[in-house]
Amino acid sequence: MAANKESEKEDACNTYDQLAEIVMTYRQTGAPMSAMYSKDFGTPDRNKLVRGMLEEAYKSPKYQSEQVKKNEINEFRNRKFLECIRLYK
């Protein structure tokens, strides 16, 4: 039973991590926030989650260097994954 809970936690946090990567990559490409913000992600909770993540990502600067962009994306993913893990404690 505990292993199942741990697996669910890991799956949820991996999904959150992937979403964070998509959102920050979107930010770092210079895409307008409004394009993704106005999309429907299926449920009010998902919409709220994505929009909150977008708001946080767009507070970060957009970088020119590909290496710095990659680092920013990874750092954002790491922060979001850590938040998720802490939430499930």
Side-chain angles (χ1 to χ4, degrees):
M1 185 129 166
N4 191 29
K5 284 257 191 214
E6 192 64 29
S7 178
E8 288 177 21
K9 171 183 162 179
E10 189 174 322
D11 288 347
C13 291
N14 283 332
T15 299
Y16 198 60
D17 171 81
Q18 291 169 358
L19 177 59
E21 179 181 22
I22 291 166
V23 167
M24 185 53 84
T25 298
Y26 198 77
R27 165 65 182 129
Q28 291 301 319
T29 63
M33 182 181 174
S34 60
M36 188 177 262
Y37 199 89
S38 62
K39 289 185 181 188
D40 182 6
F41 294 94
T43 68
D45 286 341
R46 284 185 197 149
N47 291 340
K48 185 176 179 179
L49 178 75
V50 172
R51 289 173 181 159
M53 202 177 282
L54 278 167
E55 290 172 18
E56 187 176 342
Y58 275 78
K59 289 178 184 175
S60 298
K62 179 188 169 300
Y63 295 102
Q64 298 301 315
S65 161
E66 290 303 315
Q67 185 59 49
V68 177
K69 285 180 183 182
K70 184 177 178 179
N71 290 343
E72 183 68 14
I73 292 165
N74 285 333
E75 287 300 314
F76 189 71
R77 288 178 69 183
N78 288 336
R79 284 193 308 272
K80 296 287 117 191
F81 190 78
L82 181 60
E83 285 176 14
C84 184
I85 289 172
R86 287 181 175 164
L87 181 69
Y88 274 98
K89 280 189 173 180

